């Protein structure tokens, strides 16, 4: 048995809070972006960056969520987490697609999810509500379990996202991404070598949260990536699931950092079997941090 699902009125409330705080952080990252944006520090590798706005947006999210729901836990991409006593943890990515944000490419998102279970333990947690906001075009994707997936755009009525049918694999447009470690990127390139000839094409948009929401909206047919963290996928996972899609790991269990596969139900088995055989062909991934000279 998985962790207990909050009642519907609470899930609705969590979704509303996720939307409100994600919208506020989205305004912050656009309106207060300095003219000369600085990389504040790096994390796993020299290209895994944190800008001053990542930290400011996370601080804002943490403050707002802490005021609205002081008993909940908090896990963010940047520094500063907290365990709570309510059974709910907020899992947030203040800017998913930080490299796009740094370069001024309009494909990044604020991602806010309420999850049950321990997001630090792979396979033991699941989102119950979430919101993903694209600050550059005003799109807001949001969902709670059993409440449907919704897309709001400026000056338009909210649209329910529902996946019906799916193209055959050979006609599918797939999103994917690459990690920050050179060893991982080499492995991902080997997997791609086997995958690309079997699909219509690949897109590397640069924000996993937007990639997953694109699957929910049908602007990508499917998505796969190794190396995602809970904050990259948590909010968009519930959006895809509520749109009628499947989000899993490589062998059908919950998604985790070894693989996230997302697709409409009709396409998911074919995608899973393609990525599994490509991963076998690519061989074991060497230990990270040991790129060849
Ligand atoms: C990254 C983006 C990117 C994906 C990477 C993620 P970040 O998140 O989602 O699309 O390929 O795996 O780490 O670092 O920009 O929050």
């Amino acid at each position: 048995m998985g962790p207990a699902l909050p009642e519907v009125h609470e899930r609705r409330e969590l979704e509303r809070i996720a939307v409100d705080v994600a919208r506020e952080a989205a305004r912050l990252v656009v309106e207060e972006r300095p003219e000369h944006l600085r990389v504040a520090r790096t994390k796993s590798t020299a290209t895994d960056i944190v800008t001053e706005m990542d930290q400011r947006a996370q601080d804002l999210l943490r403050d707002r969520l802490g005021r609205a729901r002081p008993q909940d836990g908090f896990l963010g991409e940047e520094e500063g987490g907290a365990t709570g006593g309510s059974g709910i943890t907020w899992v947030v990515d203040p800017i998913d697609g930080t490299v796009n944000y740094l370069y001024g490419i309009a494909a990044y998102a604020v991602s806010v999810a309420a999850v049950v279970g321990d997001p630090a333990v792979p396979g033991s947690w699941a989102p119950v509500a979430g919101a993903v906001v694209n600050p550059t075009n005003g799109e807001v994707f949001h969902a709670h379990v059993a409440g449907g997936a919704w897309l709001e755009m400026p000056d338009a009525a909210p649209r329910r996202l529902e996946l019906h049918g799916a193209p055959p694999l050979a006609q599918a447009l797939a999103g994917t991404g690459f990690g920050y470690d050179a060893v991982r990127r080499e492995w991902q390139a080997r997997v791609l070598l086997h995958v690309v000839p079997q699909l219509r094409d690949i897109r590397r948009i640069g924000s996993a949260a937007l990639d997953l929401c694109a699957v929910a909206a049908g602007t990508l047919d499917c998505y796969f990536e190794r190396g995602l963290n809970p904050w990259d996928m948590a909010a968009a996972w519930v959006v895809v699931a509520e749109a009628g899609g499947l989000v899993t790991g490589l062998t059908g269990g919950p998604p985790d950092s070894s693989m996230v596969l997302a697709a409409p139900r009709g396409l998911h088995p074919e995608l899973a079997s393609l990525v599994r055989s490509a991963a076998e062909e690519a061989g074991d991934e060497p230990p990270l941090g040991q790129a060849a000279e």
Side-chain angles (χ1 to χ4, degrees), residues 77 93 95-99 177-180 204 206-208 225 228 232:
E77 176 169 20
D93 193 338
I95 305 179
D96 181 60
T98 309
V99 174
F178 302 98
Y180 291 113
R204 198 294 191 245
S207 160
E225 183 168 346
L228 293 193
D232 300 312

Side-chain angles (χ1 to χ4, degrees), residues 43 47-49 54 77-78 93-101 107-109 176-180 184-185 188 204-211 223 225-229 231-233:
K43 294 185 286 186
T47 53
D48 186 2
I49 55 161
D54 291 82
E77 176 169 20
E78 314 313 342
D93 193 338
I95 305 179
D96 181 60
T98 309
V99 174
N100 283 347
Y101 180 67
Y108 56 89
T176 192
F178 302 98
Y180 291 113
R184 168 139 303 154
R185 295 162 78 81
Q188 288 169 319
R204 198 294 191 245
I205 290 169
S207 160
L210 291 182
D211 286 326
Y223 168 79
E225 183 168 346
R226 168 171 284 200
L228 293 193
N229 289 297
W231 45 82
D232 300 312
M233 65 171 114

Side-chain angles (χ1 to χ4, degrees), residues 109-135:
V110 178
S111 172
V112 177
V115 317
V116 289
D118 184 351
V121 180
S124 77
W125 62 276
V128 293
V132 174
V133 177
N134 178 341

Side-chain angles (χ1 to χ4, degrees), residues 12-53:
R12 222 179 268 134
E13 175 68 0
L14 293 167
E15 179 181 3
R16 189 193 58 75
I17 293 171
V19 168
D20 287 351
V21 300
R23 278 189 202 272
E24 190 180 349
R27 278 195 300 276
L28 176 87
V29 299
V30 171
E31 288 170 12
E32 300 205 17
R33 179 191 169 111
E35 201 182 329
H36 301 290
L37 180 65
R38 281 183 315 108
V39 172
R41 59 192 168 88
T42 59
K43 294 185 286 186
S44 59
T45 70
T47 53
D48 186 2
I49 55 161
V50 183
T51 72
E52 57 190 281
M53 294 308 291

Side-chain angles (χ1 to χ4, degrees), residues 30-229:
V30 171
E31 288 170 12
E32 300 205 17
R33 179 191 169 111
E35 201 182 329
H36 301 290
L37 180 65
R38 281 183 315 108
V39 172
R41 59 192 168 88
T42 59
K43 294 185 286 186
S44 59
T45 70
T47 53
D48 186 2
I49 55 161
V50 183
T51 72
E52 57 190 281
M53 294 308 291
D54 291 82
Q55 192 64 56
R56 280 188 63 194
Q58 175 159 314
D59 292 347
L60 181 142
L61 291 169
R62 190 181 168 156
D63 173 76
R64 299 300 188 265
L65 293 168
R67 285 167 197 254
R69 307 243 332 165
Q71 307 306 322
D72 296 350
F74 183 87
L75 173 69
E77 176 169 20
E78 314 313 342
E79 285 168 350
T83 21
S86 66
I88 298 288
T89 301
W90 291 94
V91 177
V92 313
D93 193 338
I95 305 179
D96 181 60
T98 309
V99 174
N100 283 347
Y101 180 67
L102 179 69
Y103 278 75
I105 298 171
Y108 56 89
V110 178
S111 172
V112 177
V115 317
V116 289
D118 184 351
V121 180
S124 77
W125 62 276
V128 293
V132 174
V133 177
N134 178 341
T136 64
N137 65 6
E139 283 179 341
V140 183
F141 298 88
H142 57 93
H144 71 255
V145 171
W150 297 88
L151 169 58
E152 293 186 42
M153 295 171 80
D155 306 321
R159 177 161 72 90
R160 186 162 184 170
L161 302 176
E162 286 175 293
L163 290 166
H164 300 292
L169 195 61
Q171 302 291 317
L173 184 63
T176 192
F178 302 98
Y180 291 113
D181 187 293
V183 169
R184 168 139 303 154
R185 295 162 78 81
E186 271 187 47
W187 185 87
Q188 288 169 319
R190 288 204 298 277
V191 169
L192 259 191
L193 208 62
H194 298 281
V195 167
V196 168
Q198 311 298 328
L199 299 166
R200 177 193 293 272
D201 206 348
I202 287 285
R203 292 291 178 269
R204 198 294 191 245
I205 290 169
S207 160
L210 291 182
D211 286 326
L212 285 161
C213 289
V215 174
T219 50
L220 283 176
D221 294 312
C222 57
Y223 168 79
F224 65 95
E225 183 168 346
R226 168 171 284 200
L228 293 193
N229 289 297

